[in-house]
Amino acid sequence: QVQLVESGGGLVQPGGSLRLSCAATGFTFSRSTMSWYRQAPGKERELVATITSTGGNTNYADSVKGRFTISRDNAKNTVYLQMNSLKPEDTAVYYCNAAGSSLLTKRRYDYWGQGTQVTVSS
């Protein structure tokens, strides 16, 4: 069935970089808007970045703009989040999200991965 599997998280020092990946199966990835969310301890979940189905448009939270880049490879059914100049406040569990509608039924869907931990600390 539907799966979104995140990878690439880990421990990194401030100023370092990580690249997160989210591999999707079980739905039409190329029709989906893909997003990365994150949730830090004691804080609400927040939207980090969004990319449209073709990759033509992206949006970022102000807190990560200029440091993070979202991209996708529809041939590989994978969305990425390149994170540079990482700060301690970027520490959070990062979640992959897929949203869209089925081609034939037009039914809306909203899928989530299980998350990957990113820790930025010296």
Side-chain angles (χ1 to χ4, degrees):
Q1 195 58 273
V2 172
Q3 278 194 301
L4 296 174
V5 181
E6 301 98 334
S7 62
L11 175 64
V12 65
Q13 291 186 261
S17 297
L18 285 173
R19 189 181 75 162
L20 306 183
S21 299
C22 174
T25 57
F27 67 100
T28 306
F29 177 86
S30 61
R31 289 178 52 83
S32 301
T33 295
M34 301 299 299
S35 300
W36 288 95
Y37 288 77
R38 69 185 182 187
Q39 187 164 23
K43 295 186 177 181
E44 296 181 351
R45 184 186 64 182
E46 65 173 335
L47 177 63
V48 176
T50 295
I51 187 167
T52 54
S53 60
T54 64
N57 290 296
T58 58
N59 288 286
Y60 299 92
D62 289 341
S63 59
V64 307
K65 197 170 298 180
R67 300 188 297 120
F68 291 10
T69 302
I70 188 171
S71 61
R72 68 191 295 159
D73 187 340
N74 285 350
K76 296 181 179 179
N77 287 358
T78 302
V79 63
Y80 306 93
L81 185 67
Q82 179 67 46
M83 305 184 294
N84 299 326
S85 302
L86 283 162
K87 305 174 180 179
E89 49 263 46
D90 295 318
T91 296
V93 177
Y94 284 71
Y95 297 93
C96 180
N97 170 264
S101 60
S102 300
L103 179 61
L104 297 180
T105 68
K106 304 299 187 294
R107 182 179 180 87
R108 298 290 301 181
Y109 56 81
D110 189 12
Y111 304 134
W112 293 88
Q114 293 182 323
T116 184
Q117 177 71 48
V118 172
T119 302
V120 184
S121 177
S122 59

